[in-house]
Amino acid sequence: MGLMDVFGRGGAASRRDADPEVMAYLQWWTRNHYGVEAFVEPRTTVTDVTVVLVAHDGEWTRRAVGERGAQRLSAALGIPVYDARRVGYPQRMRDHDARRRITERHAYEQELRRHDGY
C-alpha cells in the first residue's frame, strides 16, 4: 500500500463496490420517499465517492458508495443520477435544511422558556 492509498487517492479501496448494507439502505430510503434523485459527489482526500439522495420535499441522506457503486446507482435504484459537481444541489435541499434549522431553534427557545419559570 502506497502513501496515496492511505489518504484515499487511487488504490483498490476507492474502486470497490458499495457496501451491501449501504446499498440496501439507499434502496430502502428511495422506496420510502417520493421523487428521489441522486447526486454523486467526487472522492476527496477524506471520503470515498458519496451519493446524496434528495426527496421531493428536500429531505436528504448521504452515504459513501465508491466509484463502482456510484456507476450502478441508476440501475440499482431506478432513479435519476446526477454529477453534483456539474449540476449542483437542488434548491429544495437547502430549503429543507433552512426549515429544519428554524424548527430546531423554535424548539430550543421553547425549552428555554419552559425552564425559565423554575
Side-chain angles (χ1 to χ4, degrees):
M1 175 183 290
L3 179 62
M4 298 308 269
D5 294 331
V6 172
F7 291 103
R9 295 185 196 165
S14 66
R15 291 188 299 269
R16 72 180 184 280
D17 286 333
D19 182 317
E21 289 181 19
V22 169
M23 288 306 288
Y25 169 78
L26 295 175
Q27 289 171 338
W28 172 87
W29 203 91
T30 300
R31 281 193 313 272
N32 288 283
H33 293 81
Y34 174 75
V36 177
E37 296 176 313
F39 296 84
V40 177
E41 301 171 316
R43 180 182 57 223
T44 68
T45 55
V46 179
T47 62
D48 201 350
V49 175
T50 55
V51 64
V52 177
L53 299 182
V54 183
H56 80 288
D57 62 355
E59 183 179 355
W60 59 274
T61 188
R62 174 181 284 122
R63 295 292 185 274
V65 294
E67 288 177 24
R68 289 186 186 151
Q71 293 167 356
R72 295 183 177 139
L73 278 175
S74 184
L77 302 178
I79 61 174
V81 178
Y82 305 103
D83 182 341
R85 290 176 297 186
R86 292 185 179 208
V87 301
Y89 299 96
Q91 183 64 43
R92 67 184 185 275
M93 183 178 169
R94 292 184 287 281
D95 293 344
H96 177 270
D97 287 348
R99 286 190 306 271
R100 183 182 48 78
R101 282 190 298 273
I102 290 169
T103 302
E104 289 173 356
R105 186 179 71 232
H106 286 170
Y108 176 72
E109 290 169 354
Q110 286 178 345
E111 186 69 18
L112 288 177
R113 282 193 293 275
R114 190 171 76 90
H115 289 292
D116 279 346
Y118 295 131

